[in-house]
Amino acid sequence: MNIKDIVNRDVVNLTNCESEPIHIPGSIQPHGFLLGIKNEDQVIDFCSANCGDYLNLSPEQILGKTLEDIFQKDQSDLFATYWELNKSNQATPFVFVSNKMEFNTSVHLSGETLILEFEPFPDGTLSLPDLYNQTRSFVSLMEKHSYLPELCQDIANETRAITGYDRVMIYRFDEEYNGEVIAESKIENLDSFSGQKYPHTDIPAQARELYIRNPLRVITDISYTPVPLLTLNDSGEKTNKSLDLSLSLLRSVSPIHVEYLKNMGVGATLTVSLLKNNKLWGLIACHHYSSKLLPHYTRLSALLQGHFLTSQIAVREVAEEFEISQAADKALMESLTILHEQEDFIEDFYKSPSLLNLANATGFAIYYKGKIYKNGLVPENEDLIPLLKKLSENYPNAGLHTEQLISIFPEDEKLSKYAAGIIYHSIAGGTPDGVIWLRAERRETINWAGNPHKAVIHNEEGAARLSPRKSFELWLEEVKNKSLKWRISEINASSSFAYALQKHINLRYVRNQENKNRLLNDELKAANKELANLNWISTHDLKEPLRKIQIFASKVLDRENPDLSAQVKDSVERMRFAAEKMQVLIEDILSYSKTGNMEKVYENVDLTLILKKAVEESADIIEEKNGVINFGNLPVLKIIPFQIHQLFINLISNALKFSKQDVPPVINIEVKTVNALESTSLKLAENTEYFAISFQDNGIGFEKEYENRIFDVFQRLHPNHKYPGTGIGLAICKKIMENHSGFITADSELGKGARFTLYFPKEDIV
């Protein structure tokens, strides 16, 4: 039979200490023994080397056997029943008996191995805890204290009374897992560790992970010699077998941790995990200065103390946070009330005490439109304004809070006196405008239990390795350039105020714009009135002199014709023609003005009827040019009838005017339905169908570059007497289509005619 131990002999040094496999040491403490049974066939696969000290059986007599072979059938059967009933609850151990010695036996499953840990009764009796009195005592403490530190102190006192250890500490971790003793109960002759801090290297990450998985750990004698675990290796080859002892009570601990405790002068320990939201919050750490073997049920009583305290950690911390948040909310409401009631809040109320209180800040400032408004203890403008500009550049759309500003901007260490910590929010993206809360530097002296920076030493060969600190004398470290930590309630309150301030500024801007728009509107009304007067003058006062000019010119030409020279006749004729042209222009301007300003009364009308009427009115010129107009039925729409009539007249007249010489004009008027998907080149509204009514002619056309300009007022493509006009007709067409929520387009090719298309939305026009 080839028996091998599974002791993990990896060397622990500076390079691998953070990954030391402490869950598979391959050894146990000697105050009990261990058996590992294959779950599939109940054969003993592991045993500790000290089994002979308790069972008078050698490892060779144990490995490969079953429990029935070791403890006889009656005990084996009873254990099988016990395990079946207690797989999820091992608070009550099974009691095995061998050679008239009783063993409390803790059982758990590790992978496919059932681990049995045997401990002889320390005093030969089964001492059950008084759970009722213990629970009643805790409830009394819970009702007595409102704050967590006070409760922790009494839990430490109670735990020491239950366990009898020389020192019991409540140990709390910070964000970096540095620990601090927040409560302590001890015998009188011991120096106090209360308030001392311990670096995170004292309890590495893998140890913290084990504390989460297994909430109880016991070391009965720091000077113990580890007992190796043995297993069969019949093949004779090197075995890689291991056994995960994460949940074991007898597990041997890291040699570094043993050395650490020896350096502290500790003889025995008991550690209970304190969890919050499934994360390690702290520990109940019990120290004894000689060896101490604690009975099973007393250990459970200590564990129960840990459960009691764990149940209150989150509750008490939330309660404390709630008190602070209530004060912050009260200050926030005061600030918001003033903000909502005062238009000039920034200029007149920036020194309100509530602005400091809502974040428990020592200083506050608003930077707005190049001016800074300060409240409380605030740096000089020449220092603060550059900081605000940097913050706006780096955090334009997100807030920032930090307890150590120099960790972000190292060059700003000089600001720590007033602004070691800040909360910042931008209030106008793209500008330096922002709001900032400041906290002054809080210089703190940390009481470390020994120098935390001396965790690395060099051995005789000069190699570096992790070393337990040999000195635990008080080592003071001064922390500078850091403020108190911002609480969640303070961060939330400042964020809420910054958002409200941003809305206030936007609202103030809107109100200012409304005032400006109101003044501008008044100016526009006055201008429109003046334009109306000018329109009246142009359409009435100017028309009368023009008529007189035309009349006098005609009289001169009619009465004095024989006596006039050819030169005078030509001049008078030109004068009469100019007056007629000016009168037409005035009439067109009047029509264009009426198109936009007249009251819009819409009626459901058949466009076919309006088109027929327009064609009838144009009959003379159509007949004169031998023109043809082809059209079918047009839709019924809600329109302004006289405007659509004018629209059709203008388009028909335009096509007849710009017809080719000696070519009879042909105008084809068609209608179809289009939408945005079918006509991607047009800016049609989505989910809306349009009636597209096109007027296609065979006239002279025009260059494509004029397709959009042709609708501008006074835009004439043919400025000569052959095609007379004012350039307003198509502008009127565009205006009419806008009045009907539609639009008009033109497309043409020079010499090949032109097409004008009217787009009317099919939905009702309102």
Side-chain angles (χ1 to χ4, degrees):
M1 178 180 288
N2 188 8
I3 297 177
K4 299 275 290 185
D5 70 58
I6 61 168
V7 175
N8 193 323
R9 294 178 172 83
D10 288 345
V11 176
V12 182
N13 54 45
L14 181 62
T15 61
N16 70 0
C17 61
E18 288 291 337
S19 58
E20 180 188 0
I22 58 177
H23 62 299
I24 51 170
S27 60
I28 63 169
Q29 299 176 56
H31 61 276
F33 68 98
L34 180 147
L35 297 179
I37 301 173
K38 292 180 181 178
N39 202 30
E40 56 184 21
D41 56 14
Q42 304 301 302
V43 171
I44 298 173
D45 193 30
F46 298 93
C47 75
S48 57
N50 63 346
C51 287
D53 297 339
Y54 296 99
L55 300 177
N56 294 327
L57 294 173
S58 66
E60 290 82 0
Q61 294 173 297
I62 296 174
L63 292 173
K65 301 297 192 299
T66 65
L67 283 180
E68 184 177 335
D69 297 328
I70 306 300
F71 293 103
Q72 300 179 349
K73 189 175 187 313
D74 57 341
Q75 290 195 77
S76 176
D77 290 344
L78 287 172
F79 173 75
T81 302
Y82 160 84
W83 175 240
E84 189 64 32
L85 296 174
N86 293 275
K87 285 183 179 179
S88 59
N89 178 22
Q90 289 89 52
T92 302
F94 184 79
V95 178
F96 276 104
V97 180
S98 178
N99 299 323
K100 297 182 180 181
M101 182 179 290
E102 296 179 320
F103 298 93
N104 275 336
T105 308
S106 301
V107 189
H108 70 275
L109 195 61
S110 176
E112 296 300 319
T113 302
L114 191 63
I115 295 179
L116 284 69
E117 298 179 274
F118 301 80
E119 293 180 87
F121 291 13
D123 54 3
T125 62
L126 190 66
S127 178
L128 295 173
D130 188 346
L131 295 180
Y132 172 74
N133 282 329
Q134 187 180 353
T135 304
R136 185 179 65 176
S137 175
F138 175 76
V139 171
S140 175
L141 295 177
M142 190 171 62
E143 293 175 345
K144 176 182 176 183
H145 299 302
S146 301
Y147 298 102
L148 190 59
E150 299 168 346
L151 182 61
C152 286
Q153 182 57 55
D154 277 347
I155 289 291
N157 295 337
E158 288 285 312
T159 304
R160 190 164 78 87
I162 291 170
T163 62
Y165 280 90
D166 294 335
R167 187 197 305 270
V168 174
M169 299 171 287
I170 307 294
Y171 187 86
R172 179 173 61 190
F173 295 113
D174 63 16
E175 296 86 350
E176 298 174 351
Y177 284 103
N178 298 310
E180 179 183 7
V181 178
I182 62 171
E184 178 187 53
S185 179
K186 65 180 184 63
I187 58 177
E188 291 185 3
N189 63 329
L190 295 177
D191 292 335
S192 175
F193 291 165
S194 181
Q196 292 189 7
K197 283 197 171 184
Y198 296 78
H200 66 89
T201 52
D202 283 6
I203 305 177
Q206 70 273 35
R208 297 194 295 268
E209 182 63 30
L210 281 187
Y211 280 132
I212 295 174
R213 296 182 61 190
N214 187 355
L216 186 70
R217 190 188 72 182
V218 179
I219 303 175
T220 62
D221 186 354
I222 293 301
S223 300
Y224 77 92
T225 300
V227 178
L229 297 180
L230 308 175
T231 189
L232 290 174
N233 186 24
D234 293 330
S235 64
E237 298 178 359
K238 183 178 179 180
T239 179
N240 291 320
K241 291 173 71 173
S242 62
L243 191 60
D244 189 340
L245 299 180
S246 297
L247 304 180
S248 171
L249 289 166
L250 295 176
R251 177 178 60 85
S252 187
V253 297
S254 166
I256 286 183
H257 185 61
V258 170
E259 187 178 347
Y260 177 91
L261 293 172
K262 284 181 179 179
N263 291 344
M264 291 185 74
V266 176
T269 65
L270 170 72
T271 308
V272 177
S273 304
L274 300 173
L275 304 180
K276 177 188 175 185
N277 299 329
N278 297 318
K279 293 184 179 180
L280 192 62
W281 179 89
L283 302 169
I284 299 178
C286 306
H287 287 181
H288 207 65
Y289 290 87
S290 61
S291 61
K292 185 176 181 64
L293 181 59
L294 205 64
H296 173 83
Y297 283 107
T298 308
R299 291 199 301 255
L300 288 188
S301 294
L303 181 60
L304 186 60
Q305 291 292 104
H307 289 326
F308 284 156
L309 186 52
T310 292
S311 71
Q312 291 298 301
I313 289 172
V315 175
R316 297 306 172 100
E317 288 187 342
V318 168
E320 291 175 19
E321 181 69 34
F322 179 70
E323 286 188 19
I324 294 172
S325 68
Q326 277 190 311
D329 286 346
K330 181 181 178 182
L332 174 62
M333 292 308 298
E334 291 175 2
S335 300
L336 293 179
T337 299
I338 301 172
L339 181 66
H340 294 152
E341 293 177 352
Q342 303 298 329
E343 177 75 16
D344 297 325
F345 175 88
I346 295 176
E347 295 81 2
D348 297 339
F349 294 91
Y350 63 90
K351 288 192 174 182
S352 172
S354 62
L355 292 172
L356 295 173
N357 296 337
L358 68 87
N360 290 311
T362 54
F364 169 79
I366 300 173
Y367 190 58
Y368 179 62
K369 290 187 175 180
K371 293 184 179 180
I372 192 157
Y373 304 88
K374 301 190 293 186
N375 184 351
L377 302 176
V378 180
E380 296 297 327
N381 290 1
E382 56 266 28
D383 295 324
L384 184 57
I385 292 176
L387 172 64
L388 288 165
K389 289 182 177 179
K390 282 191 295 185
L391 289 168
S392 69
E393 292 169 2
N394 288 277
Y395 304 93
N397 301 312
L400 167 72
H401 67 272
T402 178
E403 292 78 47
Q404 199 163 20
L405 181 62
I406 64 167
S407 65
I408 301 173
F409 301 119
E411 67 276 12
D412 288 328
E413 183 177 358
K414 61 183 179 181
L415 298 180
S416 291
K417 179 180 179 182
Y418 300 109
I422 67 165
I423 297 176
Y424 169 79
H425 288 278
S426 171
I427 55 175
T431 74
D433 294 355
V435 58
I436 188 169
W437 285 265
L438 314 172
R439 269 189 181 163
E441 176 185 43
R442 180 177 179 264
R443 295 205 173 193
E444 180 183 11
T445 300
I446 299 179
N447 299 323
W448 292 101
N451 188 339
H453 307 296
K454 291 188 176 180
V456 178
I457 64 169
H458 292 79
N459 58 21
E460 294 178 356
E461 290 77 25
R465 67 181 289 269
L466 184 69
S467 172
R469 291 180 289 111
K470 292 178 170 55
S471 172
F472 292 87
E473 293 181 1
L474 190 63
W475 191 86
L476 305 182
E477 179 181 20
E478 186 179 24
V479 177
K480 299 187 296 183
N481 303 313
K482 196 172 184 179
S483 73
L484 281 174
K485 184 178 179 180
W486 301 100
R487 291 180 176 267
I488 294 176
S489 57
E490 297 162 347
I491 295 170
N492 290 341
S494 58
S495 176
S496 297
F497 178 79
Y499 176 70
L501 180 62
Q502 191 175 44
K503 288 180 64 179
H504 171 84
I505 291 171
N506 291 338
L507 182 60
R508 192 161 79 166
Y509 173 79
V510 169
R511 287 173 179 167
N512 288 338
Q513 287 300 112
E514 286 179 348
N515 290 334
K516 290 180 180 179
N517 291 340
R518 191 178 298 110
L519 293 174
L520 181 60
N521 192 45
D522 292 341
E523 292 176 3
L524 287 173
K525 285 181 179 179
N528 282 335
K529 189 174 181 180
E530 291 179 8
L531 287 173
N533 292 333
L534 289 173
N535 185 52
W536 175 262
I537 292 171
S538 65
T539 56
H540 293 82
D541 294 0
L542 289 180
K543 286 171 70 176
E544 183 62 26
L546 285 173
R547 280 197 298 270
K548 289 181 178 179
I549 292 173
Q550 289 176 291
I551 292 171
F552 291 149
S554 296
K555 287 182 177 180
V556 168
L557 290 173
D558 292 341
R559 296 177 183 177
E560 308 296 334
N561 188 28
D563 301 325
L564 295 177
S565 67
Q567 185 176 2
V568 171
K569 287 182 181 180
D570 181 66
S571 297
V572 173
E573 184 64 36
R574 286 175 180 272
M575 179 180 67
R576 186 175 65 82
F577 178 78
E580 289 177 354
K581 183 178 179 182
M582 190 171 183
Q583 188 171 28
V584 172
L585 178 61
I586 290 172
E587 293 290 346
D588 285 349
I589 291 174
L590 180 60
S591 297
Y592 184 79
S593 175
K594 287 181 178 180
T595 303
N597 296 329
M598 289 187 67
E599 183 179 356
K600 300 176 178 64
V601 179
Y602 296 92
E603 300 177 18
N604 284 315
V605 179
D606 187 344
L607 297 190
T608 308
L609 299 177
I610 296 180
L611 180 59
K612 287 180 178 179
K613 186 176 180 181
V615 171
E616 289 174 2
E617 290 185 14
S618 306
D620 291 344
I621 190 169
I622 294 173
E623 183 178 350
E624 179 186 334
K625 293 199 171 191
N626 296 318
V628 177
I629 299 180
N630 302 314
F631 62 91
N633 291 328
L634 300 185
V636 176
L637 289 177
K638 198 170 187 179
I639 60 168
I640 305 171
F642 81 90
Q643 288 192 0
I644 298 301
H645 176 266
Q646 184 179 7
L647 172 68
F648 288 170
I649 287 288
N650 285 3
L651 291 176
I652 292 172
S653 299
N654 197 69
L656 295 172
K657 180 194 299 185
F658 295 104
S659 61
K660 294 178 182 177
Q661 189 173 3
D662 300 328
V663 176
V666 178
I667 305 171
N668 294 313
I669 303 172
E670 299 177 345
V671 61
K672 64 179 180 178
T673 301
V674 297
N675 57 40
L677 294 177
E678 295 171 344
S679 302
T680 55
S681 61
L682 299 173
K683 296 180 180 179
L684 301 181
E686 294 183 6
N687 303 320
T688 300
E689 288 189 325
Y690 289 79
F691 287 117
I693 302 174
S694 62
F695 287 69
Q696 174 75 57
D697 64 54
N698 62 342
I700 62 174
F702 54 86
E703 291 90 343
K704 277 198 169 295
E705 62 182 281
Y706 294 108
E707 286 182 353
N708 293 320
R709 290 169 51 193
I710 200 170
F711 298 107
D712 294 342
V713 178
F714 303 127
Q715 180 66 50
R716 297 186 62 206
L717 307 187
H718 307 281
N720 53 54
H721 297 300
K722 184 177 180 181
Y723 300 104
T726 60
I728 295 179
L730 290 177
I732 291 174
C733 293
K734 179 181 178 183
K735 193 71 175 177
I736 291 172
M737 289 307 299
E738 289 174 352
N739 290 342
H740 290 79
S741 300
F743 58 96
I744 182 172
T745 63
D747 58 277
S748 176
E749 190 174 341
L750 191 63
K752 294 185 178 181
R755 180 173 63 235
F756 292 86
T757 306
L758 311 173
Y759 291 89
F760 292 93
K762 289 184 71 173
E763 59 188 14
D764 289 340
I765 300 172
V766 294

